[in-house]
Amino acid sequence: MPLDRLVLHGLRNLQPVDFEPVSRVNLITGENGSGKTSLLEGIHILGMGRSFRTRNMRHVIAHEGEELLVHGRLAGEPPIPFGVRRRRSEGELEIRLAGERVGRLASLVETLPLQLINPDAFRLLEGSPAGRREFLDWGVFHVKHDFLEAWQRARRALKHRNALLRHGRMSDASLTAWEHELVHWSERIDAMRGAWVEAFLPVFEETLAGLLPLEGLRLRYTRGWDRRRSLAEVLRQGRDVDRQMGFTQQGPQRADLAIRLGKRPAIEVLSRGQQKLVVSAMKLAQGRLLEASTGRRCVYLIDDLPAELDASHRRLFCRWLENMRCQVFITSIEPDALADLWRADTPLAMFHVKRSAAGSGELLPRERQIS
Ligand SMILES: Nc1ncnc2c1ncn2[C@@H]1O[C@H](COP(=O)(O)OP(=O)(O)O)[C@@H](O)[C@H]1O
Ligand SMILES: [Mg+2]
């Protein structure tokens, strides 16, 4: 379900925004520093409870302001209002969903499945496994309702095991107990991740073929511990080394998606542009699989697409988004770089963020064509 209303208050330099109705494709242009990325950041906070630019939400609150408020409404019968508020004076995010106060961030994530494509996202292949695990777990989370619990329990067991490795005795019975717990939940996690990857691969391969034919590109899931041994065995036999290191060396916290071209890691052979297309295909495939398995569509946030993809790939990429009928927010510095990429019957709205002399940004509609 798409957003049909979006309200932003107290977000960085942006003047209050109340955007209604929100179109399927929303193109946002504006000069550097006008507030385009901030607008995407606001939607990201609405869907994820956090910014993609900073860990410190105080940085997102307008300098002179006391609080940040982001509110959205999902189209549907009935429409679902939801939102978050963050006061400068308080550490916590206040989350509301359908009129109720909720405590779990996961409720936001469930409500608004988001995919972000920005320069950091394009580093998915070269960066640490943490980013790829996050990508993987996003997919699993949205299709398996018990994934979050398994993940939280495994993390808790891992924390206790690590604490005992550092401070406890080797013979400690509680070490065995926590290992038992860790093994149980890790096996659940591994089974869910493995099943998700199996469903993901054909969708990814098809999407990639439509963007950039790359013979021999393979994506493989590695579970995070020795392939030939059970985790119980790995943990038992690894106690000495783990104790010296002060933490658990193997387990689902080390899972990864290995991406190779032929025999080599893809990152060693692909050009920067090719890497971006592989990441684009991964992100599109994530949304396609979500729809195929749950009937829900992602909202895509895409920051400065013209700076990232060349004209012909930009066109192919937008064609995928259009065929997926996903709601999209795309920013660009150049006013017209994105306007002619869409079919005439695609609901499209164009906005311009105007930067005032004092630095504030005002979101204004440009000529609009909604069919
Ligand atoms: N907390 C804040 N309060 C007010 N202005 C801010 C805050 N944080 C950043 N800014 C300003 O907001 C502007 C918008 O930045 P940004 O969204 O990155 O613009 P764009 O993506 O259009 O280049 C910048 O000029 C920046 O200096
Ligand atoms: Mg920007």
Side-chain angles (χ1 to χ4, degrees):
M1 280 181 290
L3 287 168
D4 71 356
R5 182 171 180 211
L6 178 67
V7 179
L8 306 168
H9 268 274
L11 177 78
R12 295 200 189 260
N13 73 322
L14 284 178
Q15 290 181 18
V17 168
D18 189 343
F19 216 134
E20 182 186 7
V22 185
S23 185
R24 171 123 62 79
V25 175
N26 300 277
L27 308 183
I28 300 132
T29 59
E31 62 182 87
N32 283 326
S34 57
K36 302 179 298 299
T37 303
S38 302
L39 184 88
L40 300 188
E41 192 179 23
I43 304 171
H44 194 271
I45 290 169
L46 181 63
M48 305 284 277
R50 61 178 169 82
S51 162
F52 53 80
R53 290 207 275 198
T54 172
R55 284 167 184 270
N56 188 344
M57 285 280 277
R58 282 198 182 90
H59 296 170
V60 188
I61 303 174
H63 292 319
E64 309 303 325
E66 276 314 306
E67 66 172 28
L68 161 72
L69 185 89
V70 190
H71 171 87
R73 189 177 62 210
L74 283 188
E77 284 300 330
I80 303 172
F82 65 117
V84 300
R85 180 203 301 269
R86 172 67 155 80
R87 293 192 171 87
R88 190 180 290 285
S89 54
E90 288 167 21
E92 286 220 352
L93 203 63
E94 186 183 313
I95 305 172
R96 287 189 169 271
L97 177 61
E100 305 274 325
R101 183 91 187 253
V102 293
R104 296 164 67 238
L105 214 56
S107 319
L108 285 180
V109 183
E110 274 160 12
T111 305
L112 189 67
L114 283 182
Q115 284 294 321
L116 170 71
I117 301 187
N118 70 351
D120 288 333
F122 285 123
R123 287 207 287 268
L124 191 64
L125 304 193
E126 70 183 20
S128 75
R132 291 183 293 277
R133 251 188 329 267
E134 196 181 306
F135 176 86
L136 165 66
D137 288 347
W138 186 99
V140 187
F141 169 81
H142 281 282
V143 291
K144 297 279 185 201
H145 293 297
D146 48 348
F147 179 71
L148 184 64
E149 193 201 347
W151 189 83
Q152 284 168 338
R153 286 180 177 257
R155 196 176 55 176
R156 179 161 166 264
L158 183 65
K159 239 172 87 182
H160 281 281
R161 183 178 190 266
N162 285 343
L164 286 169
L165 288 171
R166 286 193 288 266
H167 309 297
R169 295 189 309 273
M170 279 304 275
S171 60
D172 204 330
S174 51
L175 187 64
T176 308
W178 284 117
E179 282 180 2
H180 186 76
E181 177 86 358
L182 180 57
V183 166
H184 175 80
W185 294 108
S186 300
E187 283 170 353
R188 291 281 307 127
I189 291 172
D190 173 48
M192 288 189 263
R193 283 174 170 167
W196 183 84
V197 170
E198 218 160 281
F200 179 73
L201 287 181
V203 183
F204 168 66
E205 280 161 18
E206 188 186 63
T207 315
L208 184 68
L211 268 186
L212 161 90
L214 260 184
E215 212 34 60
L217 188 97
R218 296 279 171 271
L219 213 143
R220 195 166 62 86
Y221 163 64
T222 54
R223 64 182 182 173
W225 65 93
D226 192 332
R227 264 193 292 164
R228 290 146 307 193
R229 290 184 295 160
S230 70
L231 183 59
E233 205 181 326
V234 166
L235 293 177
R236 212 171 35 245
Q237 293 172 351
R239 281 182 182 180
D240 279 340
V241 178
D242 286 354
R243 205 152 67 127
Q244 279 162 20
M245 303 295 288
F247 64 96
T248 306
Q249 307 294 297
Q250 297 190 51
Q253 75 281 8
R254 304 295 295 273
D256 197 358
L257 282 174
I259 305 164
R260 305 178 77 85
L261 189 70
K263 291 199 171 67
R264 295 172 203 283
I267 189 76
E268 287 178 9
V269 262
L270 296 182
S271 74
R272 192 92 184 96
Q274 286 174 318
Q275 290 171 35
K276 287 181 182 177
L277 289 165
V278 171
V279 173
S280 304
M282 288 173 71
K283 299 262 173 176
L284 291 171
Q286 196 49 290
R288 293 182 65 206
L289 181 59
L290 180 78
E291 193 190 359
S293 40
T294 68
R296 307 189 59 205
R297 295 192 182 117
C298 287
V299 171
Y300 280 83
L301 306 178
I302 303 168
D303 206 11
D304 207 2
L305 188 68
E308 303 293 349
L309 301 185
D310 63 50
S312 67
H313 287 108
R314 221 182 289 160
R315 188 172 292 281
L316 282 170
F317 179 79
C318 291
R319 191 47 43 87
W320 271 112
L321 288 172
E322 202 165 37
N323 291 341
M324 288 160 66
R325 305 178 72 81
C326 283
Q327 188 169 42
V328 193
F329 295 83
I330 305 192
T331 71
S332 160
I333 297 172
E334 304 145 53
D336 299 313
L338 297 172
D340 62 346
L341 296 173
W342 314 89
R343 283 193 292 258
D345 61 348
T346 295
L348 180 77
M350 297 202 268
F351 299 89
H352 182 74
V353 193
K354 187 166 165 240
R355 191 171 192 276
S356 75
S360 72
E362 186 184 2
L363 187 76
L364 301 166
R366 289 178 73 205
E367 69 274 29
R368 224 180 235 221
Q369 47 163 101
I370 297 178
S371 62

